[in-house]
Amino acid sequence: MLSQHSELKTGNNADADFIADHLLHRLYRLQQQHRHIPPQLMVEVAREFGLPVSQVVAVVNFYSFLYQQPVGRYHLLFSNCTSCGYQAGEVNLLALLCRQLNIASGQTRADGVVSVDETSCIGMCDHGPSMLVNGVPIVNLDEGRIKQLCNLIAAEQSLDDWPADWFRINNHIRKPDLLLNAPLECGDSLKKALAGDALLMLESIMQSGLRGRGGAGFATGKKWLFCREAESDTRYVVCNADEGEPGTFKDRVLLQCHADALFEGMTLCAYGIGAKKGFLYLRGEYRYLLGHLQAVLRRRYDSGLLGASILGQAGFSFDIEIVIGAGAYICGEESALIESLEGKPGIPRIRPPFPVTHGYLGRPTVVNNVETFIAATHIVQYGSAGFSAVGTEKSSGSKLLSVSGDCRTPGIYEYPYGVSIQQVLDDCGATQVQAVQIGGPAGSLLAKKDFNRQISFEDVSTGGSFLIFGENRDLLSINRNFARFFAHESCGFCTPCRVGTRLLENSIGKIADGRATWRDVDEIKQLSGFVRHYSHCGLGHTAANHILDSLRHFPGDIQNLLVQQAFTPAFDLDAALETARQMTQRDDADAHLE
Amino acid sequence: MTETTGTIFIDGKAVGFMQGQTIMDAALSAQVYIPHLCHYPGLTPSGNCRLCVVEADGRRAAACTTAAKAGQQISNNTAELNAARKVITQMLFVEGNHICPSCEKSGNCKLQAMGYHLGMLEEHYPQFNPRRVLDASHPDILLDRGRCILCGLCVRASHEVDKKNVFAIAGRGADAYLIVNTVSGKLGDSNLDVTDLAANICPVGAIMFKERGYVTPIGERIYDRQHISDVAMHEHVTEQKGDKKR
Ligand SMILES: Cc1cc2nc3c(=O)[nH]c(=O)nc-3n(C[C@H](O)[C@H](O)[C@H](O)COP(=O)(O)O)c2cc1C
Ligand code: SF4
Ligand code: SF4
C-alpha cells in the first residue's frame, strides 16, 4: 500500500510518542487509510471522541488536507506560492503536470491512481517549485522532474523508490548572527534558570526587550508575566509552528537545526509561568519533521530535561506534546490555533479575553513563535544585556529572514534588527529588483525608493518573509496570487473578510484580464478599506494591504491595463452563454455575441 | 430602575451600563439602536456579521462583543459607519441567493429590513450565485441554505436555549455552510421542533415552516409596519418554551 510507504517517508510509523491523542491526528490516519473520510467514519470518530457529529464534519470541511471525496493514491499538491509555486518563469509546471497525467487540477483521475491540486505555500521557497506528494515535500521541480515524476506514477512506483534527492531539504543558512552563531548546550539555560527564582528569569526576559517574532511583536517577558499572574491552577505553553505566511521558512529550519533550543525555551517558559503542559502546534506541511522532533523530545526526556522533576528539581514537571495541523493558514492566528488544538475548526476567538488569561481549555496560555522561544533560551543563557545591545532601540536582538524569489542565494539570513533592505538584497545577490514583499502577502510591498528602510518593529516589521521580485515580474499577477491566497484562507466567520476577499480576488482578476476601468480601481480601494477596518481578525485586517501598496507604488502597471471607458460589466457576456452553447451543441458564429 | 455602574456616551448621549454588559446591551437598554443581524439579546454574542461595528474611543469594535467601559466615547450613527454597514449588507445579499420578490420571508426578513434601514438601493457587487443544497427532509421545516447568511443564530439558539444542538456551521471561507448535526446530515432526522427557538430565530428565509404561506399578507408584515430599529428594542430570548418571538 502506498500509504504505508509514505508513512515510512514521514517517519510516521515510528512510535506515536509525544503525539497527542487528537481529533486531527485520528482524522489524518483515516485520510491516509481511505484517501478520504467517508460520512460513516465521521460518525464513528464522533462517537469515539464523544463529540457531536457536526463538529467532526465541520473539522473535515475546514482543513484543506482532509477530504470528503477520495483523492488519488498519489496525491499531488503543488504549492502556489510566488516563490515555491508552480509558475517557473514562463512555464506553468502545474499545467504541464496536469497535461502529462491527463487530469484537471482539483480532480482525482477516474482510475483513482492520481489526484492533483494546488495548495498554499508549503515553506520550501528556498528550493524552487515544490509540491507535497502524499504529504511529503519534493523540491527543486522543473520540467524534467515533472516528466520523470509522471513516469514514476504511470509505473506506480512506490515513493520509496523515487529519487532521494527530490526529498532532500537543505537548511540554506546563508548568514548566521546572534542566535544561529551561538552554541547552546542542551540544558544549560535551564540549569541557569533553575538555579534562580522564576521571577528573576522573567525579569531578565523583560529586560532583554525581546518581542514576539511571529508578527505582532508583543513583549515576550510581559506576556509570560501576565500569564503567570492570571488566576488559575493550570497554565499552558504553546509553540506556534504553523508558519503559514507565504515566503516564510525560517521556522522550518529552526525546527530542523535548533529543536533543542526551542524545547528548552518552552520549558523555561513553563518554569516562569508555572505550566505543566506544553504543545508544539506544527503545520501539516511540516509533518515530515515529526520523526526528528520526536527523537529530540525523547532525548530530552531521557536526559531529565522534560517530564517529572526536571533536572532533579522536585515539583517542576513539564511535558510537551506535538499537535499537527491539517492545512489552514488561519490556524497561525493564536486564538484560531487554540481552537484547532481543542479539535475544532480554526475560527479566531473574540479578543479580549486574550490567550494569556483565557487560552487552551479556557486556561491562561502563552503562545509564542518558534524563534521567540529560541531567543528566550539564548537570553537566559547569555544574559539580557548582550541581547538588548544588538538591534535598535525598540527592536532588540536579531531577526531571521526567509529570503526567496529573484536572487542568487535564497535561504536564511540572520541580521541584527535595523538592517536595511538594500543590505539584504546585496547579500543574497539580488540585482535589478523591482519590489520586495516583506512580511508575506499580509505585509508590505516596497519599491526601490524604500530599499533604504530598515527591518525593525519601528520601521518595516516582518514575521520573516522576504520575497524579492525582479524587474521582469508582472506585479499584478503577484497581487492576483495574494488575493487568491486570502480568499482561499479566509476562515469564513465574518462577512467583510469572507465576502470581501472573494470580491477583491474577482476585481483584481478583472484588471489582470484587461476588462477593468478606472471605476473598478476606485471600487477596489474602497472595498479594501472595508475589509481592513471591519473584519474580525488579523487576516481580514491585512488582506488588502498588497493591492493598496501596489496601487500606491506602481500605479502605472495597473493603469496600463485599464479599458478607457466608464464601465464594463463584471461578467463576460459571451462567456455567460457557454452553458447554453454546450446544451445546444452549437459553437457557430451566431452562437457568440461577437 | 436597574442600577448602573458606569456611563458610556453613544453619539454624545449618556448611557448607563451595568458591570459585564457589552456596548450593545447598554445601547439596547437605553433604546439606542445599533444595527445588527447576528445578535439576539439573550444568546451569546458572536460578532460575525460586523454590522454593529462602532468606534469606541477611536477604535473600531463590534458592539455586541465589546465590554462597555466607563467614560467610553462611542460613535455609532455616523455617515461613515452606516456606509460600511450598507456595504456589509450588500455583501450578504450578493453572497447568497436572495430572491426577495418570491420569498415567503419578505417583509419579515431582517436582511431586507436592514437594506431599507441603510438606504440600500442596489446590490452593487456581482452575484456569487452559490449552489447550496436545499433540505426539505423535515416534515414541517424547510432549510434553504441559499438564503442563509451564516449568522449562527439557529446554532446558538438550538445549543443554548433548546438544548438540542441541531445546527453547526462547517466549511471555510466562501464555502462555509450550515450543517445539521445528524448522522445523515438531514434535518428530517433531527429532533428540531416547530416551537424550538432555533426554528423561529432565522433572520432571513433560510429556515421556514412548510405549508404556512402568506398567512400575513405582504404589506402587513413585521417590517412593513415597523422599522427594524424599533422592532430590535423588543427582542429578547425568553427561556420558556412556546413563548418565542420571531
Ligand atoms: C492570520 C494570522 C496568521 C498568523 N500566523 C502565524 C504563524 O504562522 N506563526 C506565528 O508565530 N504567528 C502567527 N501569527 C501571529 C500569532 O497570532 C501570534 O501573535 C504569535 O504566535 C505570538 O507569538 P510571538 O509573540 O512569539 O510572535 C498569525 C496571526 C494572524 C492574524
Ligand atoms: S477576518 Fe477573515 S479569517 Fe478573520 S475571522 Fe473574519 S473571516 Fe475569519
Ligand atoms: S439558517 Fe438562518 S439563523 Fe441559521 S445561520 Fe443561516 S441565516 Fe442564521
Side-chain angles (χ1 to χ4, degrees):
Chain A
M1 278 279 300
L2 199 90
S3 62
Q4 279 159 3
H5 293 305
S6 66
E7 293 210 337
L8 272 178
K9 282 275 183 214
T10 57
N12 214 39
N13 60 348
D15 52 21
D17 269 6
F18 319 118
I19 280 281
D21 179 23
H22 197 275
L23 179 64
L24 285 178
H25 299 162
R26 182 82 178 91
L27 293 172
Y28 166 77
R29 286 198 305 276
L30 289 174
Q31 173 67 44
Q32 290 292 100
Q33 233 176 328
H34 303 275
R35 292 182 274 124
H36 72 307
I37 304 171
Q40 71 272 19
L41 288 182
M42 293 193 225
V43 173
E44 247 172 64
V45 170
R47 206 166 292 145
E48 216 174 279
F49 279 77
L51 295 172
V53 182
S54 55
Q55 184 173 336
V56 178
V57 177
V59 164
V60 171
N61 270 272
F62 190 85
Y63 294 91
S64 291
F65 299 160
L66 302 173
Y67 297 84
Q68 287 183 286
Q69 299 301 324
V71 297
R73 273 184 283 135
Y74 294 88
H75 182 46
L76 314 181
L77 286 175
F78 222 136
S79 167
N80 59 18
C81 160
T82 56
S83 281
C84 62
Y86 52 76
Q87 194 68 45
E90 295 295 297
V91 188
N92 182 331
L93 293 175
L94 177 64
L96 175 71
L97 178 72
C98 288
R99 262 198 317 278
Q100 297 268 323
L101 292 169
N102 190 21
I103 192 176
S105 179
Q107 287 183 359
T108 302
R109 211 166 64 187
D111 60 7
V113 171
V114 59
S115 50
V116 176
D117 206 346
E118 357 187 333
T119 192
S120 300
C121 175
I122 63 169
M124 294 295 154
C125 316
D126 51 339
H127 287 78
S130 304
M131 67 164 83
L132 297 171
V133 181
N134 294 348
V136 191
I138 59 174
V139 297
N140 287 317
L141 298 172
D142 53 21
E143 288 181 67
R145 281 194 176 179
I146 294 289
K147 287 179 183 156
Q148 214 180 329
L149 175 155
C150 293
N151 292 337
L152 289 168
I153 291 177
E156 303 208 23
Q157 282 277 346
S158 144
L159 281 194
D160 292 326
D161 301 329
W162 289 25
D165 56 329
W166 294 9
F167 298 91
R168 196 160 299 131
I169 290 157
N170 293 314
N171 294 322
H172 291 146
I173 296 176
R174 309 286 185 185
K175 195 188 164 304
D177 202 270
L178 191 66
L179 292 187
L180 296 175
N181 269 334
L184 287 167
E185 280 300 315
C186 255
D188 276 6
S189 315
L190 256 181
K191 276 179 211 142
K192 274 212 171 128
L194 292 186
D197 184 66
L199 271 175
L200 221 67
M201 184 199 75
L202 287 189
E203 186 64 31
S204 101
I205 303 278
M206 272 186 285
Q207 271 171 4
S208 73
L210 174 63
R211 296 171 64 173
R213 297 326 197 210
F218 193 82
T220 307
K222 222 179 189 179
K223 187 185 273 188
W224 292 13
L225 189 68
F226 285 161
C227 188
R228 178 190 170 94
E229 287 172 347
E231 198 86 41
S232 181
D233 52 359
T234 314
R235 294 178 176 73
Y236 295 99
V237 178
V238 174
C239 173
N240 187 342
D242 197 55
E243 188 159 67
E245 184 179 275
T248 321
F249 49 90
K250 50 107 188 161
D251 291 344
R252 181 198 91 213
V253 173
L254 288 173
L255 290 163
Q256 183 74 61
C257 313
H258 295 269
D260 259 306
L262 162 63
F263 293 135
E264 188 134 341
M266 291 175 71
T267 315
L268 290 167
C269 177
Y271 180 63
I273 67 171
K276 297 203 172 330
K277 177 100 199 196
F279 294 99
L280 173 71
Y281 187 89
L282 184 69
R283 69 186 308 220
E285 290 82 346
Y286 293 171
R287 182 179 288 273
Y288 77 98
L289 290 170
L290 180 59
H292 157 69
L293 293 169
Q294 284 174 313
V296 176
L297 282 176
R298 164 65 50 221
R299 215 172 344 95
R300 293 186 71 84
Y301 271 91
D302 291 347
S303 328
L305 298 171
L306 279 171
S309 310
I310 290 173
L311 288 171
Q313 181 136 330
F316 178 38
S317 73
F318 184 58
D319 291 298
I320 296 180
E321 280 188 334
I322 301 173
V323 173
I324 307 182
Y329 164 66
I330 190 59
C331 289
E333 194 282 336
E334 56 184 10
S335 67
L337 185 154
I338 290 171
E339 288 283 299
S340 184
L341 272 184
E342 293 181 2
K344 295 185 245 167
I347 309 270
R349 292 177 175 174
I350 295 162
R351 304 180 324 155
F354 293 95
V356 275
T357 58
H358 297 73
Y360 180 64
L361 303 178
R363 304 309 180 97
T365 303
V366 163
V367 183
N368 274 133
N369 176 255
V370 174
E371 190 181 346
T372 312
F373 281 119
I374 293 175
T377 307
H378 183 99
I379 291 161
V380 172
Q381 170 84 9
Y382 293 102
S384 57
F387 190 85
S388 59
V390 175
T392 68
E393 193 193 335
K394 294 200 173 92
S395 318
S396 298
S398 63
K399 183 78 192 93
L400 266 67
L401 299 178
S402 315
V403 176
S404 73
D406 301 324
C407 63
R408 206 171 47 244
T409 47
I412 301 297
Y413 292 74
E414 183 184 9
Y415 292 98
Y417 271 113
V419 65
S420 76
I421 290 164
Q422 189 58 54
Q423 180 72 52
V424 181
L425 292 174
D426 292 345
D427 290 350
C428 69
T431 51
Q432 299 178 319
V433 178
Q434 180 180 191
V436 289
Q437 179 77 30
I438 296 182
S444 4
L445 178 74
L446 299 177
K448 258 195 194 109
K449 66 173 172 40
D450 291 320
F451 290 176
N452 59 348
R453 289 178 61 185
Q454 300 179 342
I455 302 289
S456 66
F457 292 108
E458 306 83 313
D459 193 357
V460 184
S461 166
T462 172
S465 174
F466 193 106
L467 296 165
I468 303 166
F469 303 129
E471 268 162 3
N472 42 19
R473 284 261 200 151
D474 165 18
L475 284 185
L476 195 63
S477 74
I478 308 272
N479 288 126
R480 194 176 199 173
N481 177 297
F482 290 171
R484 272 184 66 193
F485 169 75
F486 287 114
H488 179 69
E489 299 294 348
S490 162
C491 85
F493 170 77
C494 73
T495 318
C497 171
R498 182 182 68 236
V499 184
T501 53
R502 184 62 63 96
L503 290 171
L504 281 173
E505 181 194 1
N506 294 344
S507 302
I508 293 169
K510 192 177 171 188
I511 300 181
D513 292 342
R515 293 190 296 111
T517 67
W518 57 267
R519 210 187 265 260
D520 292 288
V521 173
D522 284 347
E523 282 285 342
I524 287 179
K525 285 186 191 160
Q526 282 185 17
L527 187 58
S528 297
F530 292 122
V531 176
R532 171 185 281 182
H533 295 302
Y534 294 89
S535 291
H536 171 64
C537 87
L539 189 148
H541 296 156
T542 55
N545 288 356
H546 66 94
I547 184 69
L548 292 176
D549 282 349
S550 261
L551 285 167
R552 195 174 318 124
H553 299 313
F554 302 95
D557 288 33
I558 289 169
Q559 263 153 28
N560 290 342
L561 285 164
L562 299 181
V563 185
Q564 296 308 315
Q565 59 195 56
F567 173 80
T568 54
F571 62 95
D572 181 340
L573 279 173
D574 187 60
L577 288 174
E578 186 52 34
T579 324
R581 278 193 293 267
Q582 278 177 12
M583 285 165 69
T584 53
Q585 299 188 354
R586 279 182 57 182
D587 201 21
D588 54 289
D590 285 346
H592 287 272
L593 286 175
E594 291 153 37
Chain B
M1 283 301 291
T2 43
E3 247 181 74
T4 59
T5 54
T7 306
I8 57 175
F9 299 89
I10 307 184
D11 295 329
K13 178 181 168 167
V15 167
F17 71 93
M18 286 179 298
Q19 186 65 34
Q21 278 196 314
T22 61
I23 295 171
M24 178 69 81
D25 296 334
L28 285 172
S29 27
Q31 306 282 301
V32 172
Y33 179 62
I34 302 176
H36 56 276
L37 283 174
C38 76
H39 182 60
Y40 199 96
L43 295 179
T44 308
S46 159
N48 66 64
C49 77
R50 311 308 287 172
L51 278 160
C52 75
V53 169
V54 293
E55 255 181 61
D57 292 333
R59 295 189 52 180
R60 289 191 181 79
C64 72
T65 57
T66 306
K69 273 206 302 267
Q72 227 165 16
Q73 293 287 343
I74 290 159
S75 309
N76 167 42
N77 192 16
T78 67
E80 189 189 348
L81 290 169
N82 285 332
R85 288 167 181 153
K86 185 163 97 178
V87 167
I88 292 169
T89 310
Q90 288 167 327
M91 286 178 172
L92 287 170
F93 265 104
V94 299
E95 181 193 26
N97 301 320
H98 295 283
I99 46 164
C100 304
S102 59
C103 178
E104 212 290 316
K105 190 82 175 189
S106 199
N108 291 331
C109 172
K110 280 191 190 161
L111 183 64
Q112 202 183 45
M114 189 62 73
Y116 284 123
H117 175 71
L118 298 167
M120 177 187 141
L121 300 175
E122 36 114 41
E123 293 190 330
H124 197 76
Y125 301 108
Q127 295 277 351
F128 286 12
N129 298 319
R131 289 187 193 179
R132 298 193 190 139
V133 180
L134 185 135
D135 183 344
S137 59
H138 193 285
D140 307 312
I141 300 162
L142 177 76
L143 172 60
D144 178 3
R145 294 187 172 89
R147 283 174 263 181
C148 171
I149 59 169
L150 301 166
C151 70
L153 279 174
C154 59
V155 178
R156 283 172 277 152
S158 186
H159 182 70
E160 295 172 15
V161 177
D162 307 334
K163 312 283 182 210
K164 288 188 178 177
N165 208 13
V166 171
F167 297 107
I169 290 172
R172 197 168 81 195
D175 295 330
Y177 68 109
L178 189 74
I179 59 168
V180 178
N181 183 26
T182 54
V183 167
S184 62
K186 292 274 182 238
L187 196 58
D189 293 331
S190 77
N191 55 354
L192 182 69
D193 190 88
V194 284
T195 61
D196 288 348
L197 182 61
N200 290 275
I201 202 164
C202 184
V204 290
I207 299 178
M208 291 201 297
F209 296 122
K210 289 181 170 177
E211 295 168 30
R212 218 192 268 179
Y214 301 93
V215 176
T216 312
I218 300 267
E220 293 171 30
R221 298 182 165 199
I222 301 172
Y223 300 107
D224 295 331
R225 289 182 278 112
Q226 267 184 296
H227 202 88
I228 189 171
S229 56
D230 296 326
V231 178
M233 295 306 148
H234 309 291
E235 288 175 330
H236 200 279
V237 170
T238 45
E239 293 289 335
Q240 285 111 340
K241 278 195 125 198
D243 180 25
K244 281 152 200 158
K245 300 190 174 134
R246 287 247 186 151

